[in-house]
Amino acid sequence: MRKISWIIKDENFDKSRIEFNGNKYMLGNGYIGYRGTMEEYSKEGLTACVLPSVYDKVEGKWREPVNLPNGFFLKLYCDGEPLSVLSSKIEQHEQGIDVRNAVHFRKTIFQTKTGKKVQLLIERFLSSDNVHIMCMKCSFICKEDSKIIIQIGFDDNIWDLNGPHLRKVKVDKKDEILILETVTKELGVNIFEGEAIKCDFQFIEYTDEANTLRELEVNAKAGKEYELTRYISIYSSKDCYNPEEKVIKTCSDVLKDGYDKLYEIHSQIWNNKWEASDVKLTGDDEAQLALRYSIYQLLSIAPTHSDKVSIPARGLSGQVYKGAVFWDTEMFMLPFFNATNPKIARNLLMYRYYTLDGARRKASEYGYRGAFYAWESQDTGDDACTLFNVADVFTGRPMRTYFRDKQIHISADVVYGIWEYYKHTGDFSIFIDGGAEVILECARFFYSYAYYKPEKRRYELLDVTGPDEYHERVGNNAFTNVMVKHTLEIAISVLELLSNKKKEFFDKLIIKLNYFKDIENIKNMNEALYIPKPDAETDLIEQFDGYFKLEDLSLDKLKSRMLNKNEYLGGGNGIATTTRILKQADVVTMLNLFKDNYSSEVKKANWEYYEKRTEHGSTLSACMYGMLAANLEKTQCAYNYFIKTAFVDLNGNAKQYVGNLYIGGTHPAANGGAWMDVVYGFSGITIDENKISINPHLPLKWQEVNFKLVYKGIKFNIKITKNTIIIDCVGKEPKKILVNIKNEDVYIKAGDTIEVSY
Ligand code: IFM
């Protein structure tokens, strides 16, 4: 029996929702992403089984992760008639996911042209125990005696944005395991998929012409249930030395274990994931479900199996944005993992270490030193972002955009992420294992990027683009300057930490990076980097030099000037570029990150000023406004922004096109933002090196928020009601932790419970 508070489902079939449901009902296990499509779909249903660790580029097109021939393909034929929600009469249909167990389910009752009825029930999951396995259980019942053909195997009629990426090498059958070998066209990565099946009925088997599909023929008796279980295994030559052998062994092992056992293990793992990361909201069922759904998304795309991959901006829902990793990961998703699963957080950061050489190449390509991380990072760390990322809707011509060249804040975001991880976990080894090298190289990059203005006796960061991408190539973007200063401070702290704690390592690193002169340079720059300050009278922080001189108009007025609903508002000719309308939270993002450095008056003035002028053209924006609003006790506003964020993949209210670039898919940054709104915003949690602070402001409806946090290896269970805060410190660790509750310091150690009224 599935628990309602964990189920997301549709109870009818709506063709217009194929694309949206493909995102909404996706499954993932970090290694594979599988869209929420019907088993009988091919390309037309936007089916995709995404392998995020393997990228491929077709000449003249964008490099993107590959979609594999679809191993979950299944189509029934009743007396020769194909049954599909796309073409058949449907008497009943249901599609959903149980987010507690990460299982997709569907039930369809088809009616054939001759009036026969066939009920199809399918359940599928991507194992979180062994990420190379996908499992399916399918059963069907015919109302009348019928000849049923079940077509299964690997459908290679797949959806690709910039493909085709794979060449079929061979199809084979070993010990009843169907094996398909494909190879990527660019780099020759071999991918093996195997399928083993188990049926509780007799059948006659045929194979299609291409041999990738098999057909099982059954004379089905009226009212009898027929069950088939399927086990698909996937390995590439990037994973192991002999992927074919691995596929065969995995298929035969899981066939012995059977579906129920595999499901039980998978479900137990998910249970543990939820145990560590669930957030319980009492008094608001809708928000609860949306928040759990957001957490589900994060858990299903997280790389548990490897520290060589990270999380792409559209999760594992397809090839959009080239399957690339943006600042979204460090700034919007990492906080959730830092607090609930530090091991995954570490994997995400180590990915930046493994791609450091790509960042070095990019810096040197532009004539700088150090590490300039890719705005759109794939497997090597080289930038997948093109110079012409958007096409003009009016002319169809590619538009020069400066995301790649000028969003230098990406290197600061990476450093910020490493430091946040260190603050949460106290895990010093991250610096030794590559974190220190990343930090120092990023600091070095900023020094080589900055201009020293002798007449002002300060360093400035000119010709940059901040989070607000509608204003490109500006001077002294406040967010960027503050983030860069933070990078320099972190670099100085890390140097100090290493030289005190690991002198030998420190000495070797300085020699390896030839960092002798750089230490002085970054210290000087840190002293003299220009940081835009709040205006003495208005408290406003100018987003960048000259922003206040731009045309000031309302968002409605700007929108009334649009000639096409998809036109890009930024870039050279974008109608927002000469105005104060911004794409997404910029100064407000900075105020969230450094909220203790600014007074409430400053935060309030800037929130109110910029909110009116923000288009929220990116799904990264609303959560930032929500979080700061909660901090400012604008609780209803905060709630509205939280709802906008938490429902983004449930109601599909996000842009699908920018210019004529398709940007649909899931929005994991917003998913992470929903978690941050609740934990950092409403619950008022702040984590620093020495303490956890709590200062909650719950929305009116909420009676209670209950969640877990891991801080420096110690587990906390935090319950916040309208007037009490209860903290349980779990485990045996004798270390005392400082907790600041509503401005009162208390120490807590394992086994303690503290209850404070407020
Ligand atoms: O990283 C974001 C960016 O800030 C706005 N455009 C979309 C990107 C990917 O989510």
Side-chain angles (χ1 to χ4, degrees), residues 313-314 321 326-328 375 467 469 583-584 618 620:
R314 287 291 178 264
Y321 278 136
F326 290 63
W327 72 313
D328 304 32
W375 182 242
E469 294 169 334
K583 179 180 181 184
Q584 65 197 85
S618 158
L620 276 55

Side-chain angles (χ1 to χ4, degrees), residues 359-360 362-364 366-373 404-412 438-451 461 464 480 484 487-488 515 518 522 525:
R360 285 182 171 124
K362 179 172 166 187
S364 107
Y366 285 104
Y368 301 110
R369 299 173 67 227
F372 182 6
Y373 272 90
R404 181 191 202 272
D405 325 52
K406 300 296 170 191
Q407 290 211 49
I408 62 164
H409 67 83
I410 179 66
S411 286
V438 170
I439 292 168
L440 296 184
E441 287 292 55
C442 290
R444 173 183 260 168
F445 162 66
F446 287 128
Y447 177 77
S448 79
Y449 194 91
Y451 294 84
L461 294 163
V464 303
T480 306
V484 169
T487 302
L488 302 174
Y515 215 76
D518 302 80
I522 62 172
M525 182 173 162

